Amino acid sequence: MTSADDFVLQLIEDKNLATADAIAAARQKASESEGSVTDIDSKTIDELVKDGAFSYADVTALLSEEFGVPVISLENLTIGEDVKKLIPRDDCKKNCVLPIGVDNGVLTIAIADPMNMDVLDNISHVLGMTLEQRLATPEQINKAIDTYYGVNAYGNLFGDMENEVGGGPISGLPTGNEKGVSEEEAPIIRYVYKLITDAVKRRASDIHLEPLEKKFRVRYRIDGVLIEVENPPKRLQPSILSRLKLMANISIAEKRIPQDGRIQIAFNGKEIDLRVSSLPTVYGESIVMRILDKEGLRLGLVDLGFFSDDQATFERIVSLADGIFLVTGPTGSGKSTTLYSGLNFLNKPDRKIITVEDPVEYQMTGINQVQVRKEVGMTFAAALRSMLRQAPNIIMIGEIRDLETAEIAINASLTGHMVFSTLHTNDAPSAVTRLVDIGVKPFLVSASLRAALAQRLVRKICTNCKEPVEPDIKSLEALGINEIEAAGTTYYAGKGCPKCHGIGFKGRMGIFEIFLVNEEIQQMIYEGRTLVELRQKARELGMRTMREDGIRKVSSGLTTASEILKVCMNEVE
């Protein structure tokens, strides 16, 4: 209560909620506590509630009956941004009020003290509105202010923070409850903890914090799609960014150049790396945290999306004694995950595997991994030369980027090593023309290349809320499926549920195109045939395109036609 509490105490006594002796004892206890003398009556009510004489809800019910003001539940409200702007958060906290809604110039407002007429008159005068009062307890109003305006001005952005912070599943991440943490620092630390915890639980691959002109936007990338979550107040942008930079061992003082750092945490016993990248923008530093889950690299080939026939082909390719196997696709298409899963399949005590990467994103037991360091001369080419003296059976190169690297990789493949690498091309046969464009002689490509695999990632239908649906004929026709062919197949979609956060999709899988190099293809490469000819011959020999693999997965109820169209729209038949 904030005013006229002596009247409320008298009302409590008259209604037999507490005896005069209990009120006197509570008043004595309140007078011995620290604080202003003018707060004695309010503290007396607090002491009586603590002693269990009654609850704040009982007091609110008394006031409702006495003044004829209805009681309102503040749970599950929807308060618009325009309504919240009418009364600043600090004023709401100070006066224990909450604006709820506006209708024809009448503001509905929740209050704890109907006798505080000065505050109500001021609000009505400043806003030029008539007030329609509703009663709620101080606890309810303060909790609602935290919900709709933000906890301690830092934003209760992901639910009840206190239930999550402390004893949570994330270790290696400060929660804000540690000793020595100041009251000013604690809310920011808790927010960062919740930000990362929520992202990990929702299987986000990265977290984007983007300073814009009038807001500080936060987005998660989940299954390849960016989803905006509730944004923290713009004024907290510097504090949150500084906190993240501090955790990632990035210089807080330097804000003019891009910087990179790393945060290591554990979730449910799994080690997770957060690669932090800061980039100066017009309205402040943009930070992206890439979440690297090492368990993701131990996926079985079925989990990647391979059907049994493609899986058998993949296993046969990676088990070859020598040659080059290339995985192609754009950035973010899962090339590294596929290669690592292949290495995991091959990782046996009788094989020596060495990788050269920039950077080493995932550390795998039993595999020798080399980090490229250009500043000291440890380039891909230099690392490869040294690796060959280590007598490996299998070599993985993060990416073939230039002629020097390509030539050393090809020479390694021609001297009895199996070489895995990635290229940025649109389809599998394009790997041939890409190597030739780099400067590799066609006869070397024909002699060394064993296969190329192109892939894209599509979202999987959530198995929890999956249900049969009427097919989208236009999407199916765009994939090359006519209405007659569609009639014999059951198509599925996810309707949205708590497990997939209402999206209808959960997880991703690959769609693949495997280009095998046999003697005919080798001869065509040697002769310098065009990409169109190579692709046509591969189709004649049975190569299934990514679109065709996608159609199989749509027909099997694993994904939707629209997902395939997103990544295969421009495929040339």
Side-chain angles (χ1 to χ4, degrees):
M1 299 300 147
T2 55
S3 66
D5 292 310
D6 53 344
F7 171 83
V8 179
L9 286 170
Q10 187 61 52
L11 191 62
I12 287 170
E13 184 178 346
D14 292 345
K15 297 294 182 179
N16 297 318
L17 287 184
T19 64
D21 290 343
I23 292 172
R27 190 189 296 274
Q28 178 62 34
K29 192 181 294 186
S31 66
E32 294 171 358
S33 65
E34 297 180 4
S36 170
V37 176
T38 58
D39 292 333
I40 293 298
D41 290 334
S42 179
K43 288 184 177 182
T44 300
I45 295 171
D46 293 339
E47 291 294 339
L48 289 166
V49 170
K50 286 179 186 177
D51 292 340
F54 49 79
S55 67
Y56 289 114
D58 294 328
V59 179
T60 299
L62 279 185
L63 294 174
S64 175
E65 181 183 349
E66 185 73 17
F67 292 96
V69 179
V71 176
I72 187 173
S73 171
L74 299 182
E75 293 185 4
N76 302 319
L77 285 177
T78 301
I79 300 177
E81 290 294 326
D82 54 337
V83 175
K84 285 196 289 184
K85 290 177 182 177
L86 293 174
I87 306 177
R89 180 193 183 281
D90 292 344
D91 289 342
C92 288
K93 275 287 187 183
K94 179 181 178 182
N95 300 303
C96 205
V97 299
L98 179 73
I100 295 172
V102 178
D103 186 20
N104 293 325
V106 177
L107 172 65
T108 302
I109 186 170
I111 58 173
D113 185 358
M115 294 173 286
N116 199 350
M117 297 307 299
D118 287 343
V119 168
L120 297 174
D121 287 343
N122 284 339
I123 292 172
S124 179
H125 176 72
V126 169
L127 298 179
M129 293 180 176
T130 303
L131 302 186
E132 190 171 304
Q133 301 174 35
R134 297 288 186 270
L135 277 180
T137 68
E139 288 175 309
Q140 293 169 340
I141 290 176
N142 282 320
K143 184 177 179 181
I145 292 170
D146 290 342
T147 298
Y148 297 108
Y149 285 87
V151 176
N152 295 329
Y154 293 94
N156 186 13
L157 303 180
F158 301 110
D160 189 352
M161 192 172 289
E162 293 302 324
N163 290 340
E164 294 287 346
V165 173
I170 297 270
S171 61
L173 195 62
T175 65
N177 290 339
E178 293 82 5
K179 289 183 179 180
V181 176
S182 69
E183 290 186 9
E184 291 182 359
E185 293 176 319
I188 293 291
I189 295 173
R190 289 187 184 122
Y191 171 72
V192 169
Y193 176 88
K194 281 298 297 174
L195 177 76
I196 296 173
T197 300
D198 193 63
V200 171
K201 286 181 177 178
R202 293 179 66 176
R203 303 174 299 102
S205 59
D206 36 61
I207 307 169
H208 296 250
L209 297 100
E210 302 161 314
L212 304 178
E213 182 180 7
K214 294 183 179 178
K215 70 175 183 178
F216 184 34
R217 184 168 67 181
V218 177
R219 296 189 288 177
Y220 294 157
R221 190 184 298 279
I222 300 174
D223 295 334
V225 178
L226 280 170
I227 297 172
E228 187 167 350
V229 296
E230 192 168 345
N231 303 315
K234 176 72 172 174
R235 65 183 179 277
L236 301 179
Q237 174 182 311
S239 301
I240 293 170
L241 294 180
S242 294
R243 176 66 196 164
L244 287 169
K245 290 174 71 175
L246 187 67
M247 292 169 62
N249 292 318
I250 295 174
S251 171
I252 296 175
E254 182 56 75
K255 299 179 181 180
R256 300 165 299 171
I257 59 174
Q259 297 183 85
D260 295 302
R262 182 180 179 185
I263 301 171
Q264 289 184 296
I265 59 174
F267 175 66
N268 288 341
K270 298 189 297 183
E271 290 185 9
I272 294 176
D273 279 354
L274 277 73
R275 296 295 168 87
V276 182
S277 170
S278 74
L279 179 70
T281 69
V282 174
Y283 300 110
E285 289 178 283
S286 172
I287 284 187
V288 174
M289 290 184 283
R290 188 177 179 198
I291 302 171
L292 304 176
D293 181 3
K294 297 177 184 179
E295 294 295 321
L297 295 176
R298 296 183 176 91
L299 290 175
L301 299 179
V302 175
D303 297 319
L304 293 177
F306 282 111
F307 279 150
S308 57
D309 52 354
D310 284 342
Q311 180 180 339
T313 302
F314 182 87
E315 290 176 353
R316 180 169 60 81
I317 294 167
V318 298
S319 300
L320 292 172
D322 57 27
I324 291 183
F325 172 51
L326 297 174
V327 179
T328 75
T331 301
S333 59
K335 300 187 298 296
S336 295
T337 301
T338 298
L339 278 185
Y340 272 114
S341 295
L343 291 180
N344 196 51
F345 171 75
L346 297 171
N347 191 10
K348 304 289 191 299
D350 62 339
R351 295 185 178 100
K352 177 156 186 171
I353 303 173
I354 304 180
T355 73
V356 52
E357 305 166 66
D358 183 20
V360 175
E361 293 183 343
Y362 303 94
Q363 295 170 1
M364 297 186 72
T365 304
I367 292 177
N368 301 276
Q369 295 172 276
V370 178
Q371 168 74 55
V372 168
R373 298 188 185 279
K374 294 178 183 176
E375 66 274 12
V376 295
M378 178 65 90
T379 62
F380 274 109
L384 273 169
R385 289 192 187 94
S386 299
M387 284 164 57
L388 294 176
R389 291 193 286 271
Q390 295 281 315
N393 300 105
I394 299 162
I395 296 169
M396 189 193 92
I397 307 166
E399 183 185 349
I400 293 178
R401 301 178 181 179
D402 52 45
L403 176 59
E404 187 180 16
T405 305
E407 286 182 334
I408 297 172
I410 286 173
N411 288 333
S413 72
L414 294 174
T415 54
H417 303 88
M418 188 64 195
V419 180
F420 298 158
S421 192
T422 66
L423 274 180
H424 289 278
T425 66
N426 288 328
D427 60 13
S430 295
V432 173
T433 54
R434 176 66 179 145
L435 288 174
V436 173
D437 287 342
I438 289 175
V440 181
K441 298 292 189 293
F443 77 90
L444 288 174
V445 177
S446 68
S448 59
L449 185 63
R450 297 290 178 264
L453 180 144
Q455 69 177 66
R456 300 289 188 278
L457 293 178
V458 295
R459 292 184 293 175
K460 293 191 291 187
I461 298 170
C462 174
T463 55
N464 188 61
C465 60
K466 177 179 175 180
E467 61 181 13
V469 295
E470 285 294 320
D472 179 357
I473 299 300
K474 288 185 177 179
S475 295
L476 293 177
E477 286 177 348
L479 282 177
I481 304 172
N482 61 42
E483 199 165 345
I484 297 172
E485 292 172 326
T489 305
T490 303
Y491 295 93
Y492 294 88
K495 65 180 180 180
C497 66
K499 286 192 176 181
C500 62
H501 299 278
I503 297 171
F505 294 96
K506 187 175 181 182
R508 288 191 291 174
M509 65 179 176
I511 57 172
F512 305 99
E513 174 178 290
I514 303 177
F515 173 67
L516 296 172
V517 179
N518 64 3
E519 289 184 3
E520 276 188 88
I521 299 289
Q522 277 185 324
Q523 183 62 32
M524 293 178 71
I525 296 171
Y526 181 81
E527 294 171 357
R529 298 288 188 88
T530 65
L531 174 60
V532 174
E533 291 175 303
L534 288 172
R535 186 172 182 79
Q536 186 176 350
K537 175 56 70 173
R539 294 297 305 277
E540 290 173 6
L541 294 172
M543 183 183 80
R544 187 183 298 110
T545 68
M546 281 185 285
R547 179 179 290 195
E548 290 167 344
D549 190 41
I551 291 171
R552 289 204 299 171
K553 284 160 184 172
V554 171
S555 300
S556 300
L558 298 175
T559 188
T560 64
S562 60
E563 281 295 299
I564 304 301
L565 286 173
K566 285 178 185 177
V567 296
C568 293
M569 199 66 183
N570 296 322
E571 181 182 292
V572 178
E573 291 295 343

